[in-house]
Amino acid sequence: MRLLQVDAFTDKPFGGNPAAVCILNEAQTDDWMQSLAAEMNLSETAFLLEEGEGVYRLRWFTPTTEVDLCGHATLASAHALWEEDLVQGDDEILFHTNSGPLTAERSNGWITLNFPVVGHEEGPVPPQVTEAIGVDPVRVVKSDFDYVVELASEAQVRQLSPDMGMLAELVDHGVIVTSQADDGPFDIVSRVFCPGLGVPEDPVTGSAHCALALYWQQKLNQHEFDAFQASPRGGILKLQLQDDRVQLQGQAVTVLRGSLSHDVGKGA
């Protein structure tokens, strides 16, 4: 089975968000996939199983749990399939996932993912969200996957040092901290913290931007955004909101390429 490590949402090695991509030659058990994800110890390991020409079943695992949506590991998966010549040319890729069908297209060095919009709602917020952030928020809302915390400035987002132990109590949600960009080429900035899911700070988070696209569209009344995730590694995304879908654009770089030993596969 082929195994790659891909840096997603960057055009340079050692930037963006690293994901492992395992291209299965046969179905494996959930426990086996979870064990490999723990072994890789990256924020996500993606597992691909071919279901037809250009059609793949795709699942994502953190080191501790399976997740229902992951943007950077989907970008890495599409990149890996084209890099390994398992999908020809720039043919579209269809992924069957726990979040429904997702597609990937490639053009001029950029990969475009078609993802569902993630909505949000007002409501009670656990006190540890704002206590752990340590900065008075402009607004806090809850999406299907995360709490979205808007701060007053890009500087506050970049300088944030949250209490990870407190955030780890949120075992079923992460926290997206965001603001408008102060100036320069970007419209919005963000950081994402998910210690309760085994990922203290995620370097670049595609799924978070499925929530941020709608959040900022409603606030700024625009449908396209250049976004920067201001983690230490950093990552660039282009967003376009189209009804109930978000077009996520990014680039990717293969860092490692190898294969799992035959005995490892037999252990399923």
Side-chain angles (χ1 to χ4, degrees):
M1 287 179 282
R2 304 186 212 194
L3 185 65
L4 295 85
Q5 184 168 318
V6 176
D7 289 343
F9 294 115
T10 182
D11 62 353
K12 299 179 178 65
F14 316 126
N17 199 350
V21 180
C22 181
I23 303 172
L24 302 170
N25 52 23
E26 60 183 358
Q28 301 287 339
T29 67
D30 291 4
D31 286 345
W32 185 91
M33 289 187 284
Q34 187 63 74
S35 294
L36 181 60
E39 181 83 3
M40 298 308 296
N41 199 32
L42 297 171
S43 58
E44 254 85 21
T45 296
F47 294 89
L48 292 163
L49 183 63
E50 187 175 15
E51 295 184 333
E53 186 174 349
V55 180
Y56 286 83
R57 173 66 180 165
L58 170 60
R59 295 173 69 180
W60 310 278
F61 288 78
T62 77
T64 61
T65 190
E66 183 175 10
V67 296
D68 288 334
L69 188 66
C70 179
H72 87 277
T74 305
L75 186 78
S77 296
H79 173 81
L81 291 173
W82 280 310
E83 284 278 295
E84 297 295 293
D85 291 324
L86 294 172
V87 176
Q88 300 304 309
D90 292 332
D91 289 352
E92 181 182 84
I93 302 171
L94 172 62
F95 297 114
H96 291 151
T97 78
N98 289 346
S99 291
L102 307 175
T103 61
E105 298 178 342
R106 183 173 66 167
S107 178
N108 298 321
W110 288 78
I111 296 172
T112 301
L113 306 177
N114 186 313
F115 267 43
V117 167
V118 175
H120 57 266
E121 61 184 9
E122 308 285 349
V125 176
Q128 62 263 44
V129 173
T130 51
E131 289 177 20
I133 295 301
V135 176
D136 289 335
V138 174
R139 185 185 180 200
V140 182
V141 298
K142 180 179 179 293
S143 79
D144 294 339
F145 303 108
D146 305 291
Y147 295 98
V148 180
V149 180
E150 182 188 348
L151 299 184
S153 70
E154 179 178 336
Q156 287 184 332
V157 173
R158 289 180 177 271
Q159 295 166 10
L160 201 64
S161 182
D163 185 323
M164 291 295 183
M166 197 172 291
L167 289 182
E169 297 174 15
L170 305 170
V171 295
D172 57 348
H173 280 75
V175 174
I176 306 168
V177 181
T178 185
S179 76
Q180 286 186 255
D182 292 341
D183 51 35
F186 302 108
D187 300 300
I188 59 174
V189 297
S190 65
R191 293 171 67 190
V192 177
F193 306 97
C194 307
L197 300 175
V199 184
E201 180 170 4
D202 199 29
V204 195
T205 319
S207 59
H209 286 82
C210 295
L212 290 174
L214 181 61
Y215 182 89
W216 286 109
Q217 184 274 329
Q218 292 178 345
K219 184 153 189 171
L220 301 179
N221 195 30
Q222 65 187 72
H223 291 78
E224 296 184 12
F225 302 92
D226 289 326
F228 182 71
Q229 191 155 328
S231 68
R233 291 174 66 102
I236 296 171
L237 309 91
K238 296 179 181 292
L239 315 177
Q240 185 177 40
L241 195 65
Q242 297 178 343
D243 298 322
D244 63 346
R245 308 293 294 182
V246 180
Q247 304 288 331
L248 296 175
Q249 282 192 314
Q251 297 173 294
V253 180
T254 301
V255 176
L256 295 173
R257 178 183 283 107
S259 59
L260 289 169
S261 71
H262 180 64
D263 288 342
V264 170
K266 286 170 60 178

